[in-house]
Amino acid sequence: MSKLRSAMQKGKRSTLTMTETTKALRKRTKEAVKKEEPTNPCSRATYHTFHEPAAVLQIQSQLLSWYDKEKRELPWRTVALKEPDINIRTYAVWVSEIMLQQTQVATVIDYYNRWMKRWPTVQDLAAASLEEVNKMWAGLGYYSRGRRLHEGAQKVVTEMKGQMPTTVESLLKQLPGVGRYTAGAIGSIALGEVSGVVDGNVIRVLCRLRAIGADSTSSAVTEALWSLANTVVDPERPGDFNQAMMELGARVCTPKAALCGQCPLKTHCHSYHKVHVKQEANSQKLLGKVGKTPSTLGDIEDCTTPASCTLCPVEPWLDDLGVHNFPRKPAKKVPRVERTLTCVALRPGEGGEDEYLLTQRPNKGLLAGMWEFPSLLLEEENSEVKQQGALCAEVGRILGVKVNRDLLSYVGEVVHIFSHIHQTYIVYSVCVKDEHATEETQSENLQWLTRPALLEAAVSTGMKKILKLYETMGQLSHEVLTLKDGKRKKVVKNSKLSISKKTKLNPANGTRQLSLNSFLKTTEET
């Protein structure tokens, strides 16, 4: 029995030893496999970047050769190339870059030429008034840009002895409204600093070249794009290279109709390569030659870690989109809907020409410092009677009189789209009949202007649309009908608000109490 027990105990020990040995071997094997895993040659580090120096040199050479032949002659490029004074050159490029933000080149050219003729140096701009700047900027949109240019010029003159910043870093730190892109553009174009740029056009070009399909507004993609831009920029001609990238995006690598056949960089483009490999594969499939004929374009490489890669697209590739699969942008934010009551108030001027009443907006916020017809934002949808009552109260407050709603004539509606607001102006009109009203109502934030003066003033495009609508309706007979909220109403022409020359002061608050006499018929429903 003792021999049997001894043999059994030895067997248990042997089994236990073998189990422990097997576990240890498995552990060592896993560790060895983990250590020996090769680095994926098509990982994010290479697939989404410019990792070959020779390819970077080719991109620089090919793009600049294309740019030298195809570039547009633009006034700010001429200044950057020919102006010997570094201060004027930097100022001129700064003005152009601010104007070009969110605005097409064709629109900017005329504004830029007039601006530089009026204020050729930063000192000239600093000496101008904000009113003059707003007037010059009127119609260009995004009006805060002009105000920041003016603020920046004054800062340069008063705090920096009139000398523009001379590095990308100082441009970024010292000039209001100058961000990472603008500083890089001014620094490379005007100062020759080796700095890449990333704007909308460059984003599109880089995303297609390196097949970056993740949300182009995400922080990961943004930093990757800046890294790519700084890697590929030509150190000998940084300004020309950056302008070439933007030119390519604006004219060839466009958002919806890319001209890939004309692109000087198509041989380096992952998106272009992917499109043609897929087209060839589909052609072979239709011909029943799958697997029989090797592709002349070679195998297409994709990032092999798309699930964890922060630059790869989340959505699948769509053959119909081709290169337009890149870049991917998030859905646009739905613009805020606003409705604003607006009154075109006018009176006969001294020379017999009608004058329009304008008020100035606050110095901060949307359309800061611009002039507009008396307006009132609708906080909630009210009945027509309440709307007219509110507008009458606002116009009365401005004029210092009591305005009866029967004096208002409905003109129509004007829709104007801002970047983040869908604005509808509900337009009424009222005419003031009193030769002395101009003197009584003129103030710092209030003025009466003739039509030519109004069109030259710092008014937004929305206000010009309202004026055009009013003039169109004003040419119609008072018997012409218009539709509003499903009801037919007569448009009453030339409603007059008669202000008596006899004025009384309210002893309680000093407000003018003017007697009003309406000589127009009330708008009638038919």
Side-chain angles (χ1 to χ4, degrees):
M1 287 293 289
S2 62
K3 289 182 179 181
L4 181 59
R5 286 194 192 98
S6 179
M8 291 176 66
Q9 288 175 354
K10 285 182 179 179
K12 287 180 180 180
R13 284 196 296 271
S14 177
T15 302
L16 183 61
T17 301
M18 289 179 64
T19 302
E20 291 174 348
T21 302
T22 302
K23 287 182 178 180
L25 181 60
R26 287 176 180 172
K27 185 177 181 180
R28 287 195 298 272
T29 302
K30 286 182 179 179
E31 289 176 350
V33 169
K34 192 173 183 180
K35 288 180 180 178
E36 293 173 7
E37 279 183 352
T39 302
N40 187 347
C42 271
S43 66
R44 169 183 165 181
T46 57
Y47 181 67
H48 295 299
T49 63
F50 299 111
H51 61 284
E52 296 179 358
V56 170
L57 291 174
Q58 287 180 347
I59 289 172
Q60 293 168 351
S61 174
Q62 291 167 357
L63 182 60
L64 285 170
S65 294
W66 172 84
Y67 178 71
D68 290 338
K69 295 176 184 177
E70 302 293 336
K71 67 181 177 183
R72 292 169 289 181
E73 295 298 328
L74 301 173
W76 47 88
R77 288 179 178 170
T78 302
V79 174
L81 184 65
K82 296 182 178 181
E83 176 55 58
D85 189 314
I86 189 173
N87 216 47
I88 295 177
R89 187 168 70 241
T90 305
Y91 163 71
V93 174
W94 175 35
V95 171
S96 71
E97 287 300 331
I98 297 299
M99 285 188 172
L100 287 165
Q101 292 173 3
Q102 305 294 322
T103 309
Q104 294 182 349
V105 168
T107 303
V108 168
I109 292 174
D110 184 52
Y111 279 90
Y112 179 82
N113 287 333
R114 286 191 286 115
W115 181 288
M116 294 303 296
K117 184 177 180 180
R118 179 80 176 272
W119 302 303
T121 68
V122 69
Q123 288 81 4
D124 294 323
L125 177 58
S129 68
L130 180 58
E131 175 70 14
E132 290 174 312
V133 171
N134 283 338
K135 183 177 177 180
M136 180 69 76
W137 200 274
L140 196 55
Y142 298 92
Y143 295 92
S144 61
R145 296 180 296 168
R147 186 177 70 252
R148 285 197 293 266
L149 265 175
H150 186 241
E151 291 172 359
Q154 291 183 326
K155 183 178 180 181
V156 169
V157 170
T158 59
E159 299 179 21
M160 302 163 62
K161 299 181 180 179
Q163 298 301 306
M164 292 288 295
T166 56
T167 65
V168 170
E169 185 179 1
S170 59
L171 285 162
L172 190 58
K173 288 182 178 179
Q174 296 176 331
L175 294 183
V178 170
R180 194 174 180 181
Y181 158 76
T182 307
I186 299 171
S188 61
I189 297 170
L191 304 170
E193 280 213 47
V194 182
S195 173
V197 297
V198 175
D199 75 338
N201 287 317
V202 176
I203 287 173
R204 186 163 55 256
V205 172
L206 291 177
C207 282
R208 289 174 182 170
L209 282 174
R210 299 296 91 178
I212 297 174
D215 176 5
S216 60
T217 63
S218 69
S219 58
V221 173
T222 298
E223 289 308 312
L225 291 173
W226 274 102
S227 177
L228 289 173
N230 286 323
T231 298
V232 77
V233 64
D234 189 292
E236 300 297 324
R237 298 173 61 187
D240 285 343
F241 184 86
N242 287 334
Q243 290 182 94
M245 287 286 281
M246 292 184 277
E247 188 92 344
L248 187 69
R251 299 175 59 195
V252 176
C253 194
T254 54
K256 295 181 180 179
L259 304 173
C260 295
Q262 300 178 21
C263 181
L265 304 182
K266 59 179 177 286
T267 57
H268 304 278
C269 182
H270 286 348
S271 301
Y272 178 80
H273 188 72
K274 186 165 187 170
V275 167
H276 282 265
V277 167
K278 286 186 173 292
Q279 285 178 348
E280 185 170 327
N282 290 336
S283 297
Q284 291 179 359
K285 186 176 181 180
L286 289 173
L287 295 172
K289 298 181 179 180
V290 178
K292 296 181 180 179
T293 306
S295 172
T296 58
L297 294 174
D299 292 333
I300 183 169
E301 299 290 353
D302 281 323
C303 178
T304 57
T305 58
S308 60
C309 179
T310 56
L311 304 182
C312 283
V314 176
E315 300 174 12
W317 172 277
L318 300 176
D319 287 345
D320 291 344
L321 291 180
V323 297
H324 304 108
N325 277 278
F326 304 109
R328 296 289 175 89
K329 295 183 179 179
K332 284 188 176 181
K333 209 172 181 181
V334 178
R336 183 171 76 248
V337 176
E338 288 186 357
R339 293 176 67 80
T340 298
L341 296 171
T342 301
C343 184
V344 179
L346 67 161
R347 51 157 292 120
E350 294 181 359
E353 188 175 4
D354 284 342
E355 295 177 340
Y356 296 86
L357 179 64
L358 295 178
T359 62
Q360 192 170 33
R361 292 181 63 85
N363 289 327
K364 292 184 179 180
L366 182 69
L367 303 176
M370 302 292 285
W371 292 87
E372 66 181 5
F373 296 116
S375 300
L376 187 65
L377 179 65
L378 278 177
E379 299 294 343
E380 58 184 21
E381 197 64 36
N382 294 320
S383 67
E384 183 179 345
V385 173
K386 288 185 178 180
Q387 289 180 10
Q388 291 177 345
L391 188 57
C392 284
E394 177 65 12
V395 175
R397 181 191 67 78
I398 294 169
L399 292 176
V401 299
K402 182 179 179 182
V403 180
N404 191 303
R405 74 180 185 85
D406 292 340
L407 304 171
L408 293 178
S409 293
Y410 174 74
V411 177
E413 294 189 354
V414 168
V415 175
H416 187 67
I417 309 298
F418 296 94
S419 59
H420 58 295
I421 300 174
H422 185 287
Q423 180 68 263
T424 300
Y425 296 102
I426 306 167
V427 185
Y428 289 85
S429 68
V430 64
C431 293
V432 179
K433 186 181 180 182
D434 180 22
E435 289 76 7
H436 302 289
T438 300
E439 296 178 3
E440 295 167 351
T441 56
Q442 203 85 11
S443 71
E444 184 179 350
N445 299 318
L446 189 72
Q447 60 180 338
W448 293 88
L449 295 178
T450 62
R451 183 183 185 279
L454 186 155
L455 293 176
E456 291 294 323
V459 297
S460 68
T461 302
M463 293 301 109
K464 291 179 180 178
K465 286 182 180 179
I466 290 171
L467 177 63
K468 184 176 181 180
L469 173 68
Y470 171 77
E471 291 178 334
T472 301
M473 297 303 294
Q475 293 172 1
L476 302 177
S477 166
H478 70 278
E479 294 296 332
V480 175
L481 299 178
T482 186
L483 290 176
K484 181 175 185 295
D485 298 333
K487 298 178 181 179
R488 296 180 69 82
K489 294 188 176 183
K490 287 185 179 180
V491 177
V492 181
K493 186 180 178 182
N494 294 329
S495 298
K496 300 292 182 181
L497 168 61
S498 179
I499 303 180
S500 171
K501 295 181 182 180
K502 295 181 180 180
T503 63
K504 297 179 181 180
L505 287 178
N506 186 330
N509 54 24
T511 303
R512 288 183 183 275
Q513 300 295 313
L514 305 181
S515 59
L516 305 176
N517 297 310
S518 171
F519 59 90
L520 267 186
K521 294 180 181 179
T522 305
T523 302
E524 298 176 349
E525 292 190 11
T526 57

